[in-house]
Amino acid sequence: DGGITQSPKYLFRKEGQNVTLSCEQNLNHDAMYWYRQDPGQGLRLIYYSQIVNDFQKGDIAEGYSVSREKKESFPLTVTSAQKNPTAFYLCASSIGSPLNEQFFGPGTRLTVL
Amino acid sequence: EDKVVQSPLSLVVHEGDTVTLNCSYEVTNFRSLLWYKQEKKAPTFLFMLTSSGIEKKSGRLSSILDKKELFSILNITATQTGDSAVYLCAVEAPPFADEKLTFGTGTRLTIIP
C-alpha cells in the first residue's frame, strides 16, 4: 500500500533530551514537509524539502533540525532548544509541482515531561 | 506575512442541517486554496480551488472561491455525524517555486444526532 508512515504514534521524553521523529513515504514524492499542530491552532510549517539533500526552514524552524538523505525519508529532530516541544507533529508529502495537494501521515504526539 | 483566517472557530449543529464554513486569506502570489478534513489524525484532502466562481462538488460537500474578495466557503448539506471533524483551509502562495501551504486555525464542526 502506498502512503506515509510516521513513528512512533506517541512519544514521551524528559525535558532537555533531543528526540527524532520518523517520516517515511513510498509514494515517490519529491517534496516532504513537517508541521506542528497545537490545540485550537492550525498547522504551522517547521521545515520542508523539495528534493533530496536540500531543505528549507518554514515558519517555526527554531529548535528543530531535519535531514533528507533519501527521497523516502525526512526525519525531524526536536532539540532541547525548542522551548515548547509538546505538540502533535504531522509529516506530509507531495509530488512537488504546483497545484498538487499534500498527503499527510498519521502524526506523532510528542509529550515532554 | 501570509495569513489565512477561518470562521467560525467552532460550530455545533443538528444532523440534517446545512453548514457554511468560511476561509479568508491575505497572501501574495496566490496559487490555490485547499480544504482538508481532519477527524482524528491525518488531514484528508477535500478540494483544491484555483479559479473564481467555479464550484467544486463532491457528494454533499461543495466549495467555491472568490479571488476578488479573497475568500472561500465550504458548504455541507444534510449533515451527518460522520461530518464531525476539524475542517482546515490552506493557501498555496509560494515565493518562487516552493509549494508551501499556509493553514488557517480550522473550524471544529460537531454534528449532534
Side-chain angles (χ1 to χ4, degrees), chain A residues 5-88:
Chain A
T5 56
Q6 291 184 242
S7 62
K9 199 181 286 191
Y10 300 96
L11 190 54
F12 296 88
R13 278 293 182 271
K14 288 184 181 176
E15 202 172 317
Q17 289 181 331
N18 290 359
V19 60
T20 297
L21 311 184
S22 164
C23 177
E24 305 275 330
Q25 53 97 1
N26 60 4
L27 300 167
N28 201 32
H29 284 170
D30 283 314
M32 297 185 74
Y33 312 82
W34 273 106
Y35 294 92
R36 170 186 172 135
Q37 188 174 34
D38 293 282
Q41 295 198 35
L43 279 62
R44 292 184 290 166
L45 183 65
I46 304 172
Y47 267 98
Y48 65 104
S49 166
Q50 293 185 287
I51 198 166
V52 175
N53 291 323
D54 189 41
F55 48 83
Q56 285 80 40
K57 291 182 180 179
D59 301 316
I60 53 164
E62 188 175 345
Y64 299 98
S65 66
V66 293
S67 62
R68 187 85 188 276
E69 296 174 6
K70 297 187 299 182
K71 189 175 186 177
E72 307 79 35
S73 179
F74 191 40
L76 173 75
T77 297
V78 184
T79 75
S80 55
Q82 167 48 233
K83 290 185 174 35
N84 295 299
T86 294
F88 185 53

Side-chain angles (χ1 to χ4, degrees), chain A residues 37 42 48 50 96 98 102 105-106, chain B residues 36 38 41-42 98-100 104-105:
Chain A
Q37 188 174 34
Y48 65 104
Q50 293 185 287
Q102 294 180 14
Chain B
Y36 285 86
Q38 185 178 25
K41 298 281 174 68
D98 295 351
E99 280 75 53
K100 295 192 304 178
T105 54

Side-chain angles (χ1 to χ4, degrees), chain B residues 17-57:
Chain B
D17 289 350
T18 293
V19 297
T20 298
L21 310 184
N22 303 294
C23 176
S24 64
Y25 59 91
E26 289 178 31
V27 300
T28 52
N29 304 316
F30 174 88
R31 182 181 285 160
S32 66
L33 185 144
L34 296 87
W35 284 97
Y36 285 86
K37 177 183 181 182
Q38 185 178 25
E39 290 180 82
K40 287 207 166 82
K41 298 281 174 68
T44 53
F45 172 76
L46 295 174
F47 298 112
M48 176 183 284
L49 304 152
T50 56
S51 303
S52 274
I54 298 174
E55 186 183 51
K56 291 269 180 108
K57 204 167 165 61

Side-chain angles (χ1 to χ4, degrees), chain B:
Chain B
E1 186 182 322
D2 294 344
K3 195 159 55 164
V4 178
V5 178
Q6 290 186 248
S7 63
L9 288 181
S10 67
L11 188 56
V12 181
V13 300
H14 286 97
E15 203 167 17
D17 289 350
T18 293
V19 297
T20 298
L21 310 184
N22 303 294
C23 176
S24 64
Y25 59 91
E26 289 178 31
V27 300
T28 52
N29 304 316
F30 174 88
R31 182 181 285 160
S32 66
L33 185 144
L34 296 87
W35 284 97
Y36 285 86
K37 177 183 181 182
Q38 185 178 25
E39 290 180 82
K40 287 207 166 82
K41 298 281 174 68
T44 53
F45 172 76
L46 295 174
F47 298 112
M48 176 183 284
L49 304 152
T50 56
S51 303
S52 274
I54 298 174
E55 186 183 51
K56 291 269 180 108
K57 204 167 165 61
S58 175
R60 296 176 293 102
L61 277 67
S62 63
S63 184
I64 198 160
L65 175 68
D66 186 327
K67 286 166 78 172
K68 186 178 173 194
E69 301 298 330
L70 308 182
F71 77 91
S72 172
I73 59 172
L74 175 68
N75 273 324
I76 308 175
T77 60
T79 51
Q80 302 170 358
T81 54
D83 296 326
S84 294
V86 174
Y87 290 84
L88 296 166
C89 171
V91 171
E92 186 186 8
F96 298 103
D98 295 351
E99 280 75 53
K100 295 192 304 178
L101 294 180
T102 300
F103 280 83
T105 54
T107 293
R108 180 173 295 279
L109 176 64
T110 303
I111 310 297
I112 301 172

